[in-house]
Amino acid sequence: QVQLVESGGGLVQAGGSLRLSCAASKRIFSINAMGWYRQAPGKQRELVAEITSGGSTNYADSVKGRFTISGDNAKNTVYLQMNSLKPEDTAVYYCNMVRDSEIYSDYNVWGQGTQVTVSS
């Protein structure tokens, strides 16, 4: 079973930057997409950014122009570079991997989450 481990969260002032990392426990095949989601207290989990196996990216409107998702296949790692952070970006950020459900039982995997807190 693939496991995802996030790191890089923390406390930062508004306007600052953080880079989140999501490391997979092993090489992942047949990936459809990997993404970053976040969940703030009292709110539903929402998509922040995703990258497909073909390299296409998709961002929530609220983070466009500030966040960048990228991947390093050699390191089995996906990153989320977050710039110009705002207090409303405060949330627990989760990494997610989706792949072919007809081949793999672990086709929808979540990391444990990493806290990002942006102070005003």
Side-chain angles (χ1 to χ4, degrees):
Q1 300 288 317
V2 173
Q3 293 181 328
L4 303 175
V5 179
E6 301 100 333
S7 61
L11 173 64
V12 64
Q13 289 187 333
S17 298
L18 284 174
R19 188 176 81 155
L20 305 183
S21 298
C22 170
S25 57
K26 60 183 179 180
R27 179 76 182 271
I28 307 175
F29 297 93
S30 301
I31 294 176
N32 292 337
M34 293 197 69
W36 286 95
Y37 290 72
R38 66 186 181 188
Q39 187 167 19
K43 295 187 177 181
Q44 289 188 332
R45 190 173 297 188
E46 62 174 359
L47 175 68
V48 176
E50 66 178 352
I51 183 167
T52 69
S53 58
S56 298
T57 57
N58 180 42
Y59 296 92
D61 289 342
S62 59
V63 307
K64 283 181 180 177
R66 300 188 297 123
F67 291 11
T68 303
I69 188 171
S70 62
D72 186 335
N73 290 334
K75 296 183 178 180
N76 302 324
T77 301
V78 174
Y79 304 97
L80 184 68
Q81 178 67 44
M82 305 187 294
N83 299 327
S84 302
L85 283 161
K86 304 175 181 180
E88 50 264 44
D89 294 319
T90 295
V92 178
Y93 284 70
Y94 297 91
C95 181
N96 173 256
M97 180 275 294
V98 176
R99 59 179 175 171
D100 194 333
S101 61
E102 294 187 357
I103 301 176
Y104 301 98
S105 59
D106 56 347
Y107 59 89
N108 188 3
V109 177
W110 292 90
Q112 84 287 352
T114 185
Q115 176 70 46
V116 171
T117 303
V118 184
S119 64
S120 57

